[in-house]
Amino acid sequence: ATVMAQAAPSATSPGAPTQLTPAAPAANAAMTAAPNKTDQSASSTTKTAAATAAPAMAMKAAAKPGAGSWEVQFAALRSEEDANKEWKRLQTAYADLLGGVPSDIQRADLGDKGIFFRVRGGPIDEATARNICAEMAKHSQGCILARK
């Protein structure tokens, strides 16, 4: 079971996760609008599919390891082994988004709550991190941003 550790953002703690609110899918609404009556060919469907796939491919290309001070956190688990398994699962399931993102499993001692291992990817730039979280939200995958 995946357990998400969420913390309120803090101006004095640069390593604290920042809660991300997914962007409204207004841009996708334009791409998925019904085609007009004069253009119902297969090529319009292909154009729409290509337009939808383009942002994901651009994000993969933009994910340059070490090119930023942000990370994306997907889970916090009780064992390092489970955290590594979860990262591998995420990279397989979301290869188009996470293929070029290195893992960064971090041990976190939360006192009375116990020891957790944060499943993070990065470092990457802030725009890429926000885009990854927005895309993951579309698949009901939890995601928060954290400064490295």
Side-chain angles (χ1 to χ4, degrees):
T2 301
V3 178
M4 288 300 300
Q6 296 181 359
S10 169
T12 60
S13 178
T18 303
Q19 188 71 28
L20 176 69
T21 304
N28 288 338
M31 285 193 277
T32 58
N36 63 33
K37 292 180 183 180
T38 61
D39 185 18
Q40 293 185 359
S41 66
S43 66
S44 73
T45 303
T46 303
K47 288 176 188 174
T48 302
T52 304
M57 296 307 280
M59 280 186 283
K60 183 177 179 182
K64 296 175 186 153
S69 60
W70 289 85
E71 292 186 316
V72 183
Q73 181 172 321
F74 300 103
L77 303 169
R78 293 284 184 169
S79 80
E80 188 171 12
E81 180 182 348
D82 287 344
N84 284 313
K85 285 179 185 177
E86 178 64 5
W87 177 255
K88 287 178 186 174
R89 183 195 71 80
L90 290 166
Q91 276 212 308
T92 300
Y94 304 103
D96 58 331
L97 293 172
L98 302 176
V101 179
S103 72
D104 186 16
I105 306 299
Q106 296 180 355
R107 183 181 188 274
D109 185 345
L110 301 181
D112 292 342
K113 293 181 182 181
I115 305 293
F116 286 85
F117 292 86
R118 295 175 176 154
V119 180
R120 290 184 174 185
I124 53 179
D125 65 87
E126 182 179 6
T128 300
R130 289 189 183 281
N131 286 334
I132 288 172
C133 277
E135 288 298 313
M136 294 301 244
K138 293 176 185 177
H139 299 285
S140 300
Q141 170 61 51
C143 180
I144 57 176
L145 299 180
R147 295 277 318 228
K148 178 85 175 145

